[in-house]
Amino acid sequence: MAELGNPQNTIAVLQKYNFNFQKKFGQNFLIDPRVLEKIIEAADISRDDFVLEIGPGIGTMTQYLCEHAREVAAVEIDKNLIPILTDTLSGYDNVEIIYNDILKVDINRLVQEKNQGNSLKVVANLPYYITTPIIMGLFESHVPIDSITIMVQKEVAERMQAGPGTKDYGALSLAVQYYAKPELVANVPPNCFMPRPNVGSAVIRLTRHNEAQVQTADEKLLFALIRASFNQRRKTLVNGLNNAAGISYTKQQVVKALEKMGLPANVRGEALTLEQFAELSNLLLLYSGGEQIG
Ligand code: SAM
């Protein structure tokens, strides 16, 4: 089977199978070999690696992954793509095509079966509308992951990397940075895809921290505080937490914690670093004497 990472061969495959793009699955296929090579290089795939590819499409990147990895599992939700993948990947014996929604796959089991529970690498050109649930699902499920190298909407890549006090800083920045170190690999313009998306894209690599970067006694509380702070961005942190469903600390407790941290009572959530959110969670637990999220 011919290499797919160019427009002619991609068109030939699409015509052979009379394939219709499905907007609901965010189908924009990569047609630029330079971008594909960059993704493989950034993901640092070697013959030791077991790789999970989310949304292989017609198998363009999958072919590259099969060339470099020990084994690849490619999870695709569109059943019309399964016969195409079977064809385009017929030359490789180190790939399993899994017809499923990635959000329903038991990745822990997959890793046990395919990689004896050792860390896997995730590579994906994601449908943009489910980027956040996929990434957070992977991290929160505590699947052993070495790195996630993904194509996302450019603005999402910027949010993942943002620091305190910037307009892009938010719950996604903190959640990603809690688990991983984000590094921008490349900006990718719309003409590298077929069909062209109407937004700019970027490849970002998230390398999972080996050790926790901050100490929190209650991870759930930490994330509840982060979400509540950014849900009401224009409010002060004290008022944001006071109005948030599921968080039941008093204003006095929050002000006392901020004071202890040397922060003014009118500080906004967007000014706090991850370390400060962790400290806040620990102080609130201390003042309330236990679990307080409902
Ligand atoms: N990797 C291919 C490429 O780079 O050319 C295709 C990328 S395309 C942006 C996204 C792919 O993810 C599509 O093939 C789409 O059908 C698939 N997809 C969408 N939602 C999915 C889900 N929940 N689980 C698995 N695959 C999904």
Side-chain angles (χ1 to χ4, degrees):
M1 170 54 64
E3 258 180 43
L4 293 169
N6 68 61
Q8 293 77 23
N9 293 345
T10 296
I11 290 170
V13 169
L14 296 175
Q15 283 179 344
K16 179 175 170 191
Y17 287 90
N18 204 7
F19 180 76
N20 290 315
F21 288 99
Q22 298 237 40
K23 225 177 171 169
K24 67 173 176 186
F25 292 141
Q27 292 175 339
N28 302 94
F29 298 158
L30 265 169
I31 49 165
D32 188 326
R34 287 166 311 173
V35 177
L36 288 152
E37 275 152 24
K38 224 171 184 154
I39 294 173
I40 298 294
E41 191 190 315
D44 192 22
I45 307 291
S46 79
R47 278 288 168 216
D48 293 333
D49 290 321
F50 168 58
V51 178
L52 168 66
E53 186 189 8
I54 304 168
I58 60 170
T60 310
M61 192 148 64
T62 327
Q63 291 185 337
Y64 281 75
L65 292 170
C66 290
E67 294 286 344
H68 291 81
R70 190 193 80 239
E71 206 173 345
V72 180
V75 179
E76 175 55 61
I77 197 172
D78 183 354
K79 78 169 180 319
N80 293 330
L81 286 168
I82 305 303
I84 303 184
L85 286 164
T86 309
D87 182 6
T88 58
L89 301 173
S90 60
Y92 299 99
D93 60 5
N94 59 342
V95 60
E96 182 181 353
I97 302 158
I98 300 170
Y99 166 46
N100 205 345
D101 176 346
I102 187 64
L103 297 174
K104 296 188 182 145
V105 174
D106 182 347
I107 301 171
N108 269 310
R109 212 181 80 195
L110 193 67
V111 174
Q112 281 306 332
E113 281 171 13
K114 301 269 187 191
N115 212 30
Q116 292 81 46
N118 295 316
S119 294
L120 84 161
K121 290 180 177 168
V122 177
V123 178
N125 172 8
L126 289 182
Y128 295 157
Y129 58 94
I130 49 166
T131 302
T132 305
I134 289 179
I135 295 176
M136 295 324 297
L138 284 168
F139 282 140
E140 283 166 14
S141 62
H142 293 106
V143 174
I145 288 177
D146 178 84
S147 63
I148 305 179
T149 306
I150 35 164
M151 180 85 70
V152 296
Q153 194 171 323
K154 190 165 172 279
E155 289 73 19
V156 173
E158 282 158 6
R159 293 216 301 272
M160 288 178 179
Q161 292 180 292
T166 62
K167 75 169 176 22
D168 293 325
Y169 188 55
L172 182 65
S173 326
L174 285 157
V176 163
Q177 292 166 29
Y178 176 78
Y179 290 109
K181 178 170 152 227
E183 287 165 292
L184 183 74
V185 174
N187 284 314
V188 184
N191 63 6
C192 295
F193 300 89
M194 184 184 294
R196 293 181 185 194
N198 44 22
V199 292
S201 306
V203 178
I204 192 161
R205 177 184 157 124
L206 310 175
T207 310
R208 191 171 188 131
H209 301 309
N210 286 330
E211 281 170 28
Q213 302 290 289
V214 297
Q215 300 303 324
T216 176
D218 186 336
E219 205 172 287
K220 268 198 192 141
L221 172 61
L222 170 64
F223 282 107
L225 292 174
I226 289 171
R227 268 194 303 273
S229 309
F230 288 97
N231 266 346
Q232 310 192 41
R233 236 191 142 96
R234 271 183 260 130
K235 291 211 161 81
T236 63
L237 181 68
V238 174
N239 286 335
L241 296 188
N242 195 43
N243 292 332
I247 293 186
S248 50
Y249 295 102
T250 63
K251 269 191 176 187
Q252 289 71 20
Q253 284 173 322
V254 180
V255 171
K256 188 175 163 193
L258 292 176
E259 251 171 34
K260 171 91 181 155
M261 293 164 66
L263 293 171
N266 65 352
V267 72
R268 287 170 198 243
E270 66 200 28
L272 267 65
T273 63
L274 180 59
E275 291 73 17
Q276 287 171 318
F277 272 110
E279 193 181 351
L280 179 64
S281 71
N282 291 336
L283 286 170
L284 289 175
L285 271 181
L286 190 73
Y287 296 158
S288 65
E291 175 85 26
Q292 283 285 303
I293 43 173

